[in-house]
Amino acid sequence: MAYSRDKSTAFSKTPFIQCGDKIIQLKEAVIMGILNITPDSFHDGGRYDTKEKYLQRVGQMLEEGAEIIDIGAVSTRPGAKEISLKEETDRLVPALKAITSAFPRAILSVDTYRAEIAHIAAENGAGMINDISGGRMDAGMFKTVAGTGLPYVMMHMQGTPQTMQKNPVYKDLIGEIREYFSSSIETAMNEGISQLILDPGFGFGKTLEQNYAILNHLEQLRIGPHPLLVGVSRKSMIYKLLNSSPEEALHGTAVLHTLALLNGADILRVHDVKEAVQVRKLVGFYHNQGNLNSITADTP
């Protein structure tokens, strides 16, 4: 990745990510659309359980402006049941083959914490690996990803999906997450991973208040040239605060996506691509109108 970052604005940077034979330019925030091919994900579990359904959904997200499609074949919601390697493989591989055949220029990320799945994903067209555990649930993950040459999303999580929301405690929330990233980045790069993306892990071992503290101090989690990914779409930090549900959390999600972009997010991982693209356009226009001298008296 190459960077030229002016901290005066979240949009004055010219990075790129190499995803196999495809490149993602990060001149503006990138939208990563979520495709869960699981029966039990917290918002859309079971909606895309056939080839026809997930191909239609991928096509829709690409048409709406998603630059990356993040495919999950195992649910990592709080308390989710762990599934076998075979079950994850059996869900993932046919979907990867079908999607890469139907959309050969699409950039696909695979959401997994298993090194063997990462290897299989790379062999079947994936251009990115997204690991909720940051390599801590499979000791072979860093070496495997390094061997693929693909970019790696390193997320922070306290505990596991089965335990992470049982009273998460931090003495220094931002400091501990920074230390986690610093240590893990060094290990990953020593193993040979050259492209890293950092995800602070909203909802993964954090209280509602801690999630908002992270969002408020997001730029403090920027370490070196590594892009920041934010995944808050329809999560409980929105709907619990509003006493609603994931299905009613679209407007709240748009608000938090706005805050994330204003606070320095480089990638938004979203369920609702069209709305996220609209947020990106509005925030980008807001930034570009920062010079009052450019606004004339007859501007509507």
Side-chain angles (χ1 to χ4, degrees), residues 147-168:
T148 70
L150 298 180
Y152 176 68
V153 181
M154 173 187 290
M155 199 187 80
H156 173 273
M157 174 174 61
Q158 188 181 93
T160 68
Q162 292 73 39
T163 65
M164 62 189 181
Q165 290 305 103
K166 295 179 180 178
N167 191 34

Side-chain angles (χ1 to χ4, degrees), residues 130-146:
N130 181 10
D131 179 6
I132 63 160
S133 78
R136 307 230 170 162
M137 292 176 70
D138 190 328
M141 180 62 89
F142 288 170
K143 180 177 285 188
T144 297
V145 174

Side-chain angles (χ1 to χ4, degrees), residues 54-90:
Y54 60 65
L55 287 180
Q56 189 277 331
R57 180 59 177 155
V58 170
Q60 179 186 11
M61 289 193 289
L62 292 172
E63 185 176 345
E64 290 176 348
E67 288 89 6
I68 307 170
I69 304 297
D70 190 44
I71 304 172
V74 56
S75 175
T76 53
R77 63 177 173 76
K81 178 184 176 183
E82 187 173 355
I83 66 171
S84 69
L85 173 68
K86 182 180 185 304
E87 188 172 355
E88 186 176 1
T89 303
D90 289 347

Side-chain angles (χ1 to χ4, degrees), residues 240-258:
K240 285 186 177 179
L241 189 62
L242 299 177
N243 296 314
S244 60
S245 67
E247 290 67 35
E248 300 172 290
L250 177 57
H251 297 309
T253 296
V255 171
L256 295 200
H257 283 163
T258 302

